[in-house]
Amino acid sequence: MAKRYGTTGEIVGKRVFLDRSTPKRPEAVKRLGKVRHCVFHPVQRRFVGFIVKRPDLLWMFHRKDVFVAYNGYDVVDGRILVLQDAGATDKGACKALGVDYDDCVLWAGLPVIGEDGTVYGTVGDVSFDPKTGEVRFLAVTQGATANALLGVREIPGSMIRGFRRGIGTALSVNGQADAENPELGAILVSDEVAELAVEGGLAAKAGEATAVVADRARETVEAVKPAVSTATKAAGKAVNAGAFATGRQIKRASGMFSAFKEEYDKARKDDDERGGGLAR
């Protein structure tokens, strides 16, 4: 098999070229652009391809992005070379993959949430099988500083439930976000994730300090659990009922925490009105 990449970190930012070779010009290529986003299946735990941003024509005229299938390219001298195949790009690629582009999802920056409401961080690098696109691991990031202090948790594909809507951070659909009634989305993982070891980080080397950090982290998680739970119930526990929309979908991590705070405040107000108060 031709060489292909196996992580989103290896792909994003790479230069992309089109194969324009002919018998007389076997080395001919055409510059296409750079990889902007990695795209995932709306239901399955599967990487389906990536979006290439093309340079503006004459620095003035915007050109449409190009979708490239996960198996529609080779790696040549560290550059991505898109194959001369109808199923390699855009509509042809979607047809070959059996997906609707507008239903596909960008995982990068989405919050990672356990079934019990625990918030582990956001999606960082994703590892997948280059032959099938099946997700192998997902690295959870909490930002460079937190990663250096607390380390990074890698979640195996078997523990990833997939994209869910109704919880998480605000999404936009086809580039349009509803500020008044935002649609939420997140990557749901099993509760077994809590037992996974965190790799690296200064806190892991600090003995008793680790326990203090962990306790504080748990307190923070407990504080947002009711909000996550309430948001899920309010959405009718919508599970893979047609994932939200693609390539331009993400409001990144900065929006995540405000979304959770809004849901938490709403849940607390509703509960206070019923006279119950939130459980702690």
Side-chain angles (χ1 to χ4, degrees), residues 235-257:
K237 295 185 179 179
V239 174
N240 286 333
F244 282 92
T246 18
R248 304 169 186 86
Q249 145 231 342
I250 294 302
K251 280 185 176 179
R252 297 179 68 85
S254 60
M256 180 187 74
F257 298 103

Side-chain angles (χ1 to χ4, degrees), residues 1 4-8 11 39-41 44-49 69-71 73 97 107 126-137:
M1 186 188 97
R4 296 192 187 108
Y5 292 120
T7 70
T8 56
I11 294 177
V39 181
F40 290 81
H41 196 282
Q44 302 169 10
R45 298 186 300 268
R46 184 159 66 95
F47 167 70
V48 295
Y70 78 92
N71 57 356
Y73 74 98
L97 294 168
W107 281 20
V126 181
S127 174
F128 51 85
D129 186 335
K131 296 181 181 179
T132 65
E134 182 179 359
V135 172
R136 289 172 169 170
F137 291 95

Side-chain angles (χ1 to χ4, degrees), residues 9-248:
E10 292 175 308
I11 294 177
V12 174
K14 279 287 189 297
R15 291 183 179 181
V16 182
F17 294 80
L18 287 172
D19 181 0
R20 286 288 185 261
S21 61
T22 65
K24 292 184 178 181
R25 302 181 61 199
E27 304 296 325
V29 298
K30 177 182 178 181
R31 182 185 176 189
L32 185 62
K34 284 188 177 182
V35 178
R36 186 178 186 181
H37 298 294
C38 287
V39 181
F40 290 81
H41 196 282
V43 177
Q44 302 169 10
R45 298 186 300 268
R46 184 159 66 95
F47 167 70
V48 295
F50 50 86
I51 297 169
V52 180
K53 177 175 173 54
R54 303 176 68 192
D56 292 339
L57 184 63
L58 301 177
W59 295 282
M60 292 186 292
F61 303 103
H62 177 72
R63 292 194 286 189
K64 186 179 178 181
D65 294 342
V66 176
F67 172 68
V68 179
Y70 78 92
N71 57 356
Y73 74 98
D74 294 333
V75 177
V76 179
D77 296 330
R79 301 182 301 182
I80 292 175
L81 184 64
V82 179
L83 305 176
Q84 294 188 53
D85 186 290
T89 62
D90 295 331
K91 292 182 179 180
C94 292
K95 182 177 180 180
L97 294 168
V99 299
D100 184 332
Y101 180 79
D102 289 335
D103 285 342
C104 291
V105 183
L106 304 183
W107 281 20
L110 282 177
V112 179
I113 303 176
E115 292 170 311
D116 66 351
T118 300
V119 183
Y120 292 101
T122 59
V123 176
D125 201 14
V126 181
S127 174
F128 51 85
D129 186 335
K131 296 181 181 179
T132 65
E134 182 179 359
V135 172
R136 289 172 169 170
F137 291 95
L138 181 162
V140 179
T141 180
Q142 301 177 71
T145 302
N147 289 347
L149 177 63
L150 303 177
V152 176
R153 178 184 275 108
E154 284 195 345
I155 302 175
S158 60
M159 295 185 186
I160 301 171
R161 299 292 179 251
F163 176 75
R164 299 292 187 269
R165 56 180 181 173
I167 57 174
T169 190
L171 306 175
S172 65
V173 181
N174 294 327
Q176 302 297 319
D178 187 338
E180 295 184 1
N181 299 293
E183 300 287 358
L184 306 180
I187 300 301
L188 188 70
V189 297
S190 72
D191 292 338
E192 298 170 271
V193 168
E195 305 302 321
L196 294 176
V198 177
E199 301 295 331
L202 298 176
K205 303 175 183 179
E208 295 180 0
T210 305
V212 174
V213 172
D215 285 342
R216 289 178 179 174
R218 276 193 292 272
E219 289 174 5
T220 302
V221 166
E222 291 299 323
V224 300
K225 268 187 184 181
V228 177
S229 177
T230 300
T232 305
K233 292 176 182 178
K237 295 185 179 179
V239 174
N240 286 333
F244 282 92
T246 18
R248 304 169 186 86

